[in-house]
Amino acid sequence: MLKHKHIIIRADVNKPPRTTDEVTDWLKKLIKRINMKVLIGPYATRVDVKGNEGVTGVAIIETSHVVIHTWDKIQPGLVQLDVYSCKNFKPTLVLNSLSEFEPLAVDYKYFDRENNFKLLHEEKYKVTNEQ
């Protein structure tokens, strides 16, 4: 049965990923950690437009998508992440995957998209290294 879960995250970080390789490697680890299957990608590209410098990465997973945007020229750095899947996943696994970026503040919203975007959880989150 399809689950339609969606987490949207905004994180102020000390160490945002700065290269396309860092972003694609991180996406691969995240997808494995949440027990999903990659169909296409991950791909990443660097943007060097003044005021919008950072990396955007995307992966199409068997059950939908994972997208990350980073801004690395601002202090603190910024990471925005979007994980949508028709298969259940633990939001804490996604949130804790941000630990390598040394988050300072993490806000997220977790939705059930099957039921009219019902908000399941919303909070400021303290990232840990727990699985």
Side-chain angles (χ1 to χ4, degrees):
M1 183 171 164
L2 300 179
K3 300 297 180 185
H4 300 282
K5 299 300 187 257
H6 192 172
I7 189 167
I8 301 169
I9 300 168
R10 182 193 192 283
D12 294 321
V13 299
N14 277 326
K15 294 174 76 175
R18 298 179 184 279
T19 69
T20 57
D21 286 343
E22 286 177 283
V23 168
T24 56
D25 289 346
W26 185 84
L27 283 167
K28 288 175 192 173
K29 289 188 288 187
L30 171 65
I31 292 164
K32 182 177 181 182
R33 188 175 201 186
I34 62 174
N35 197 30
M36 300 293 171
K37 180 181 174 188
V38 173
L39 289 182
I40 301 172
Y43 300 108
T45 191
R46 173 127 190 111
V47 175
D48 286 313
V49 174
K50 186 173 172 113
N52 196 35
E53 298 94 338
V55 179
T56 296
V58 62
I60 305 304
I61 56 177
E62 187 174 59
T63 53
S64 198
H65 70 265
V66 179
V67 179
I68 184 172
H69 304 281
T70 71
W71 289 263
D72 56 32
K73 298 290 183 184
I74 59 174
Q75 291 298 323
L78 176 61
V79 171
Q80 302 242 19
L81 178 64
D82 179 335
V83 178
Y84 172 53
S85 179
C86 297
K87 176 181 169 186
N88 265 339
F89 61 90
K90 293 182 181 177
T92 54
L93 293 178
V94 177
L95 291 157
N96 291 339
S97 291
L98 298 169
S99 65
E100 68 187 77
F101 306 143
E102 296 182 7
L104 301 167
V106 177
D107 294 293
Y108 77 95
K109 292 185 179 189
Y110 183 51
F111 297 96
D112 179 349
R113 287 179 56 166
E114 186 168 345
N115 294 299
N116 298 319
F117 279 94
K118 179 182 177 187
L119 182 62
L120 298 174
H121 205 99
E122 169 182 31
E123 71 174 288
K124 292 191 180 299
Y125 187 79
K126 174 138 175 54
V127 172
T128 69
N129 287 320
E130 294 176 21
Q131 297 284 325

